[in-house]
Amino acid sequence: MAKIAFLLADGFEDSEMVSPYDAMKEAGHESIIIGLEKGLECKGKKETASYTTELAAKDAFASDFDAIIIPGGGAPEELRVNDDIIRFVKEVNDQNKLIAGICHGPQIMISADILKGKAVTCYIGIRDDVKLAGADYQDEEVIVSENLVTSRTPKDEPAFIREILAKL
């Protein structure tokens, strides 16, 4: 059983949180929702899902987790400017643990400066940002590159989840 950190803030893409979160729980993995503060209610941009953060980013450490999953939508934009989120993602990457991001999720990977030399996919709107961060952008439903798993949009969720579970 793996311990997985879900990075979340308001405005996440509903299904990109719900589907992987439910799949990880169903597979028996422990899933912890990490946000800017503990106890924050985070609502999906479509308002079909809502979660409460269980841990503040400042209290998250790579040694306590096996993987990070970053849902897309507007949440990564808010999270990527937080020093504790970036420190945590860098620590997890330094330990070569799984980091998975879908849609806008790779924005946090860009800010953590962990994309150089990696093959990555993402929402087309941040394609140029990913390239400028040194990644080899590929327009595929899912890309696995070393410890990273990335996908583009909600329609790619089955492949995204499949590859995360395979890496765990």
Side-chain angles (χ1 to χ4, degrees), residues 18-76:
V18 173
S19 299
Y21 185 79
D22 290 351
M24 295 309 119
K25 289 228 179 228
E26 285 170 25
H29 300 297
E30 183 181 0
S31 298
I32 306 295
I33 300 169
I34 296 175
L36 301 178
E37 294 175 36
K38 181 180 178 178
L40 288 179
E41 184 183 3
C42 301
K43 293 180 181 154
K45 71 179 192 177
K46 293 187 173 117
E47 298 187 0
T48 64
S50 171
Y51 295 87
T52 301
T53 58
E54 300 166 289
L55 189 67
K58 68 180 175 58
D59 299 319
F61 298 96
S63 57
D64 298 330
F65 291 90
D66 301 298
I68 292 174
I69 296 177
I70 311 167

Side-chain angles (χ1 to χ4, degrees), residues 106 115 118-122 130 135-139 143 145 148 150:
L115 295 183
K118 305 271 181 94
V120 174
T121 195
C122 59
V130 161
D136 170 21
Y137 171 79
Q138 298 176 16
D139 186 16
I143 300 289
S145 184
L148 303 184
T150 53

Side-chain angles (χ1 to χ4, degrees), residues 23-164:
M24 295 309 119
K25 289 228 179 228
E26 285 170 25
H29 300 297
E30 183 181 0
S31 298
I32 306 295
I33 300 169
I34 296 175
L36 301 178
E37 294 175 36
K38 181 180 178 178
L40 288 179
E41 184 183 3
C42 301
K43 293 180 181 154
K45 71 179 192 177
K46 293 187 173 117
E47 298 187 0
T48 64
S50 171
Y51 295 87
T52 301
T53 58
E54 300 166 289
L55 189 67
K58 68 180 175 58
D59 299 319
F61 298 96
S63 57
D64 298 330
F65 291 90
D66 301 298
I68 292 174
I69 296 177
I70 311 167
E77 185 73 31
E78 183 176 340
L79 295 169
R80 73 187 296 191
V81 297
N82 180 273
D83 291 340
D84 292 310
I85 291 282
I86 298 308
R87 172 203 44 82
F88 178 56
V89 171
K90 283 182 176 186
E91 282 179 3
V92 170
N93 188 67
D94 288 347
Q95 294 181 19
N96 204 35
K97 295 178 179 177
L98 172 63
I99 302 174
I102 186 168
C103 190
H104 286 79
Q107 286 179 311
I108 294 174
M109 299 175 190
I110 291 167
S111 294
D113 195 26
I114 63 169
L115 295 183
K116 281 186 186 72
K118 305 271 181 94
V120 174
T121 195
C122 59
Y123 176 69
I124 196 166
I126 63 166
R127 171 189 61 198
D128 294 339
D129 306 290
V130 161
K131 288 178 183 177
L132 289 169
D136 170 21
Y137 171 79
Q138 298 176 16
D139 186 16
E140 301 289 337
E141 68 176 357
V142 65
I143 300 289
V144 178
S145 184
E146 297 174 34
N147 63 317
L148 303 184
V149 174
T150 53
S151 282
R152 302 170 300 191
T153 65
K155 72 178 174 27
D156 300 330
E157 287 167 19
F160 183 64
I161 291 165
R162 178 189 73 231
E163 295 301 330
I164 291 169

